[in-house]
């Protein structure tokens, strides 16, 4: 299979606003499409068909650890060296390191432990709705979709919830690589976040609490503790991933329901469809555009494409979840869709550890939104809404609603 002479332009403003037509063309033309991002000097290969994406996410030939790359490849893809201090976590590791790191936090995200959080999640969501209901119009992201999951993950980790605005600013900078070549904001974010976490963890070492950060400090796995950089990186990962996915799952899900009023009324009439509806939101307009990156450590043949050593690949999750070979009428939003084998949370050993928590937060959120805001609707023309310009995240910048 030949590589297109011109890479697919996945990060233009037009495609950011609506990537699905280009994804459909990519799926027709190739299972593995070559693209470029303005912030990187090397190509990015996007695995855009469902089966190819599943195969890719489970294929041990593709490395997560950047240390396996030649120095030239590291330079082309990672231009902010200060980020390395926040990058010693399980999403940047291969077995056996990945296995070790993941096992140290996995117990915090078992179904039983997550379910025990339901009363607290419900209380937080109810309080947020109490605060916004007297208003005529709000940005639902600011008023509800962001503060709910950031409060939950901050309380779980033991990080001060009152610092949530700083977390949001840092996370937005981290997930939006600059297109103009100015890396100063990214370097500043990395330094500020690193200093913040070092201070926080120093306080936890001196005064342990009943929270996940203290548990990770104390944890031992076969006599092995997390190094200071690993610990800081894991808290960074859990704090960022622990809220960012759910913010956009809630925001995108509300957007999809309001865009499809027939499905919204169906959900109001059949609340038993709530779990299925959340799964369809994940498939139809999931919160993650592409998987985190993997790399070839040698020249590799994959689904008919020759990929040189030292190049980056990602799974196109939004694209794979609209593959008509797997999902009948993939462009149709159907809250009762069964089966629904989406890969919004990934696949293989890096399947999202926090998926049970994100699902619970979304289920609680939509149940209460439907109950408390029966007249929920867009406060602006939905065609004017802007989508975030991000390598990874698929989410709205704002979601003004009235009720």
């Amino acid at each position: 299979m030949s590589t297109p002479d011109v890479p697919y332009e996945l990060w233009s403003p037009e495609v950011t606003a609506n990537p699905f037509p280009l994804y459909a063309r990519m799926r027709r033309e190739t299972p593995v499409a070559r693209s470029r991002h303005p912030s990187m000097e090397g190509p990015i290969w996007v695995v855009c068909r469902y089966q190819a994406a599943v195969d890719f996410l489970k294929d041990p030939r593709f490395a997560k650890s950047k240390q396996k790359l030649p120095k030239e490849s590291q330079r082309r893809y990672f231009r902010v060296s200060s980020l390395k201090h926040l990058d010693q976590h399980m999403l940047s590791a291969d077995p056996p390191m990945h296995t070790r790191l993941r096992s140290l936090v996995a117990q915090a995200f078992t179904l039983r432990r997550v379910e025990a959080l339901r009363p607290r999640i419900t209380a937080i969501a109810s309080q947020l709705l109490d605060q916004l209901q007297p208003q005529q119009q709000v940005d639902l992201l600011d008023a509800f979709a962001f503060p709910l999951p950031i409060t939950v993950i901050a309380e779980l980790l033991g990080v001060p919830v009152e610092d949530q605005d700083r977390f949001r600013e840092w996370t937005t900078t981290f997930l939006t690589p600059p297109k103009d070549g100015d890396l100063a904001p990214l370097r500043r974010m990395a330094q500020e976040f690193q200093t913040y976490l070092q201070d926080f963890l120093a306080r936890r070492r001196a005064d342990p609490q009943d929270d996940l950060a203290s548990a990770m400090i104390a944890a031992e796995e076969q006599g092995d503790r997390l190094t200071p950089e690993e610990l800081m990186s894991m808290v960074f990962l859990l704090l960022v991933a622990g809220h960012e996915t759910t913010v956009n799952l809630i925001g995108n899900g509300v957007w999809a329901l309001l865009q499809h009023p027939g499905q919204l009324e169906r959900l109001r009439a059949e609340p038993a469809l709530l779990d299925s509806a959340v799964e369809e939101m994940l498939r139809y307009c999931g919160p993650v555009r592409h998987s985190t990156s993997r790399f070839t450590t040698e020249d590799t043949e994959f689904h008919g494409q020759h990929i040189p050593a030292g190049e980056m690949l990602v799974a196109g999750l939004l694209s794979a979840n609209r593959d008509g070979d797997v999902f009948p009428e993939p462009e149709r939003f159907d809250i009762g869709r069964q089966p629904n084998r989406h890969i919004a949370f990934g696949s293989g050993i890096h399947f999202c550890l926090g998926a049970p928590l994100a699902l619970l937060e979304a289920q609680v959120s939509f149940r209460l939104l439907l109950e408390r805001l029966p007249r929920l609707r867009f406060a602006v023309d939905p065609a004017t809404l802007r989508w975030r310009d991000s390598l990874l995240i698929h989410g709205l910048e704002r979601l003004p609603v009235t009720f």
Side-chain angles (χ1 to χ4, degrees):
M1 182 176 296
S2 62
T3 300
D5 292 334
V6 179
Y8 293 92
E9 294 294 336
L10 264 175
W11 286 280
S12 69
E14 296 77 18
V15 173
T16 296
N18 180 15
F20 296 104
L22 180 56
Y23 284 140
R25 179 164 73 86
M26 290 162 59
R27 287 195 303 273
R28 290 193 301 269
E29 295 176 353
T30 176
V32 187
R34 186 167 63 93
S35 183
R36 285 189 180 274
H37 189 275
S39 71
M40 296 182 181
E41 296 179 14
I44 301 176
W45 296 84
V46 181
V47 186
C48 50
R49 292 181 190 164
Y50 181 92
Q51 190 55 56
V54 172
D55 293 344
F56 164 68
L57 292 169
K58 295 181 177 181
D59 194 325
R61 293 180 299 169
F62 301 111
K64 295 287 288 183
S65 173
K66 302 169 184 60
Q67 305 311 312
K68 296 180 180 180
L69 289 173
K71 293 297 183 183
E72 175 58 21
S73 292
Q74 292 187 38
R75 185 194 65 78
R76 288 195 296 166
Y77 290 109
F78 307 104
R79 296 160 62 196
V80 181
S81 60
S82 53
L83 286 174
K84 67 182 180 181
H85 301 294
L86 300 174
D87 198 36
Q88 309 302 307
H89 51 68
M90 59 191 174
L91 271 188
S92 297
D94 300 299
M97 183 67 72
H98 167 266
T99 309
R100 166 181 164 262
L101 293 173
R102 186 170 175 122
S103 68
L104 285 167
V105 296
Q107 288 303 308
F109 295 95
T110 62
L111 289 174
R112 181 179 61 81
R113 289 204 176 186
V114 167
E115 182 58 33
L117 295 172
R118 183 182 292 272
R120 179 59 183 147
I121 294 171
T122 302
I124 296 168
S126 297
Q127 182 180 24
L128 291 169
L129 288 172
D130 288 341
Q131 294 169 356
L132 69 83
Q133 270 190 293
Q135 305 176 58
Q136 293 183 336
Q137 178 179 321
V138 297
D139 176 355
L140 197 66
L141 299 184
D142 278 343
F144 185 81
F146 171 72
L148 171 64
I150 194 64
T151 301
V152 173
I153 195 64
E155 289 184 353
L156 188 63
L157 283 165
V159 176
V161 175
E162 56 268 24
D163 293 331
Q164 61 180 251
D165 288 340
R166 300 170 72 185
F167 304 148
R168 189 177 191 181
E169 179 184 349
W170 289 332
T171 299
T172 299
T173 302
F174 174 69
L175 292 171
T176 311
K179 290 185 176 181
D180 59 5
D182 182 9
L183 299 174
L186 202 54
R187 291 192 180 97
R188 185 166 55 251
M189 176 282 303
Q191 186 57 57
E192 289 176 357
F193 216 152
Q194 179 182 338
T195 300
Y196 178 91
L197 292 174
Q198 286 173 333
D199 291 346
F200 164 69
L201 290 169
R203 293 196 303 272
R204 277 295 175 272
R205 286 190 183 93
D207 184 21
Q209 302 291 317
D210 183 17
D211 55 44
L212 184 53
S214 299
M216 285 194 290
I217 290 171
E220 291 192 51
E221 185 70 17
Q222 298 178 344
D224 186 18
R225 292 177 183 267
L226 290 169
T227 68
E229 278 201 346
E230 288 171 345
L231 178 62
M232 183 169 60
S233 296
M234 289 290 280
V235 174
F236 168 77
L237 172 65
L238 294 171
L239 193 57
V240 172
H243 82 271
E244 189 68 52
T245 301
T246 307
V247 171
N248 297 299
L249 171 53
I250 295 170
N252 296 0
V254 169
W255 172 85
L257 288 172
L258 296 181
Q259 289 278 45
H260 300 85
Q263 293 295 302
L264 175 56
E265 290 312 308
R266 181 185 178 192
L267 185 55
R268 292 191 191 281
E270 301 179 66
L273 287 175
L274 179 60
D275 290 0
S276 173
V278 171
E279 299 291 350
E280 179 67 346
M281 294 166 191
L282 285 160
R283 184 201 71 83
Y284 182 79
C285 53
V288 182
R289 187 172 179 178
H290 304 117
S291 71
T292 51
S293 56
R294 290 153 175 80
F295 299 89
T296 48
T297 56
E298 59 187 16
D299 289 1
T300 303
E301 299 293 326
F302 182 73
H303 279 262
Q305 287 285 29
H306 175 79
I307 304 174
E311 296 198 349
M312 176 187 287
L313 299 91
V314 296
L317 304 180
L318 292 183
S319 177
N321 284 334
R322 295 224 188 167
D323 190 334
D325 289 342
V326 179
F327 304 99
E329 298 183 80
E331 304 302 322
R332 181 168 62 90
F333 180 62
D334 176 8
I335 64 168
R337 184 180 293 271
Q338 294 291 342
N340 191 344
R341 297 184 292 128
H342 68 78
I343 55 169
F345 289 120
S347 187
I349 63 170
H350 291 283
F351 181 85
C352 178
L353 184 65
L357 179 58
L359 287 170
L360 177 59
E361 288 172 330
Q363 291 158 4
V364 169
S365 295
F366 283 101
R367 178 177 62 80
L368 290 175
L369 285 167
L370 291 170
E371 290 176 0
R372 301 277 298 273
L373 305 178
R375 298 174 61 195
L376 182 66
R377 58 196 184 278
F378 288 121
V380 297
D381 180 352
T384 65
L385 296 174
R386 293 175 55 88
W387 295 83
R388 291 169 58 182
D389 183 11
S390 172
L391 276 166
L392 294 175
I393 294 301
H394 180 236
L396 292 160
E397 291 181 354
R398 297 175 61 249
L399 181 54
V401 296
T402 185
F403 33 82

